[in-house]
Amino acid sequence: MLNPVWLKSLVAIVQTGSFQSAARALGLAQPTVSQHLQKLEEQVGVTLVQRSRSGCQPTTRALAFMPHATALLDMHARALEALHGNRERVGASSNIGTYLLQPFVRSYLTTANERGEVDLRIAANPDVADQLLAGQLDAAIMEWWLPHPDFEHRLWRVEPLVLIVSPDHALAEAGCIERDRLVDLPMLGGEPGSGTGRLLTEYFGELGVPRSGMQLGSTEAVKQAVRAGLGVSLVMASAVQDEVRSGALVALPIPGLEKRLQLIWRKPPGNLHPPGFVRHLLEEADLAGL
């Protein structure tokens, strides 16, 4: 096993560029940091840092090793937190974490504060999945999820998709829009990896998905582009509640087009319960009849 104290010294040396700076960052004496590195090099059998009068440089092998070193340190910290801490690590796809989840975090912390804290990490759906599989998250709420034998998953919420247009757009007074009419509209694209493309393929079937316009990278960027009259787009209804309320955007319902948002958590050993925040969300889902 690699000593985490030695690994921490190596990472500090590489990140700060010198033994002196690394020692200062770690609150250690410089000879102690040098000794840590020496012991680590002896254990792994390779030189990790080249020393010279002008300073020090990580070797090629050290640079290749750095992602693994930081991952090991992160795992070590999380293991200690699991033993002594009370913080739940929850991931959320960008749109869910931004537009839907915050009130549930607040209600959980308000009603169950003695159970601990929630460390909410918002990222693109594929990144959340990677973190969940790597053990960096205890649970996640995602726009799509491929079933995995090590995890439980359940429908958390059904979220309708709407077509957003500017108030002066020709469709602004349409009320709603049917599939046959929607397929002819070029769409502004938002965040990649959200599963919307897969959903549209299933929804439109033989008609083919709508033509894709600019890819803007986020729902916020899409909303601004639609407001500026650059096109139309499909978003979750909850993402545009404020803009629709203020009259900045018009949201047209689309019959039958919705996202089924998933709550996922690692299967607990034995008869242990899921994490507290997961139980809170499951209770809310039960109350909503899902």
Side-chain angles (χ1 to χ4, degrees):
M1 295 291 290
L2 297 176
N3 189 315
V5 176
W6 302 347
L7 288 175
K8 190 176 293 186
S9 289
L10 169 65
V11 171
I13 292 167
V14 174
Q15 291 179 342
T16 63
S18 76
F19 285 84
Q20 184 177 11
S21 298
R24 188 181 305 114
L26 295 172
L28 300 173
Q30 184 172 329
T32 301
V33 172
S34 300
Q35 186 181 50
H36 289 169
L37 179 65
Q38 180 181 351
K39 289 181 177 180
L40 181 60
E41 289 178 327
E42 290 173 355
Q43 182 180 20
V44 299
V46 298
T47 299
L48 297 170
V49 175
Q50 294 285 0
R51 294 84 157 171
S52 68
R53 291 183 177 179
S54 59
C56 64
Q57 291 292 330
T59 63
T60 301
R61 290 185 177 182
L63 293 175
F65 178 60
M66 277 293 289
H68 304 287
T70 55
L72 287 170
L73 289 173
D74 180 62
M75 184 178 296
H76 179 261
R78 287 188 280 110
L80 291 177
E81 185 174 302
L83 288 171
H84 304 292
N86 213 12
R87 179 184 295 270
E88 296 180 42
R89 302 159 302 157
V90 178
S93 301
S94 299
N95 289 328
I96 297 173
T98 302
Y99 302 111
L100 286 172
L101 198 58
Q102 310 291 348
F104 295 95
V105 174
R106 180 178 180 181
S107 63
Y108 174 69
L109 296 178
T110 300
T111 60
N113 190 46
E114 71 279 1
R115 300 180 191 173
E117 302 177 9
V118 174
D119 178 8
L120 180 59
R121 307 179 186 184
I122 300 174
N125 206 97
D127 295 333
V128 174
D130 289 344
Q131 291 179 47
L132 194 60
L133 292 169
Q136 298 171 3
L137 296 172
D138 301 310
I141 305 91
M142 302 169 63
E143 296 188 43
W144 57 264
W145 168 253
L146 298 177
H148 189 284
D150 293 337
F151 294 87
E152 302 278 3
H153 71 279
R154 178 175 164 178
L155 175 66
W156 176 59
R157 182 178 179 130
V158 177
E159 179 69 12
L161 292 184
V162 295
L163 179 74
I164 55 171
V165 302
S166 62
D168 57 356
H169 193 277
L171 292 173
E173 302 296 329
C176 69
I177 188 163
E178 298 292 335
R179 186 178 69 159
D180 293 351
R181 191 175 185 187
L182 186 64
V183 74
D184 294 326
L185 298 173
M187 297 285 173
L188 300 175
E191 180 181 295
S194 65
T196 301
R198 185 184 313 170
L199 178 65
L200 294 181
T201 298
E202 296 174 358
Y203 179 76
F204 286 102
E206 71 283 354
L207 294 177
V209 299
R211 289 174 291 131
S212 178
M214 292 185 288
Q215 298 299 310
L216 299 175
S218 73
T219 299
E220 285 300 309
V222 165
K223 291 193 291 186
Q224 293 301 322
V226 173
R227 290 181 65 173
L230 296 179
V232 301
S233 188
L234 295 170
V235 301
M236 293 196 304
S238 57
V240 290
Q241 289 179 344
D242 291 342
E243 289 83 1
V244 170
R245 191 179 298 115
S246 69
L249 290 172
V250 174
L252 304 176
I254 305 166
L257 187 55
E258 59 193 21
K259 283 197 172 183
R260 300 176 66 81
L261 309 182
Q262 301 294 316
L263 172 60
I264 308 104
W265 66 97
R266 186 175 296 275
K267 290 180 179 177
N271 295 320
L272 295 180
H273 294 295
F277 186 60
V278 170
R279 298 200 302 273
H280 181 70
L281 293 182
L282 290 175
E283 290 167 2
E284 294 289 341
D286 287 338
L287 290 174
L290 295 177

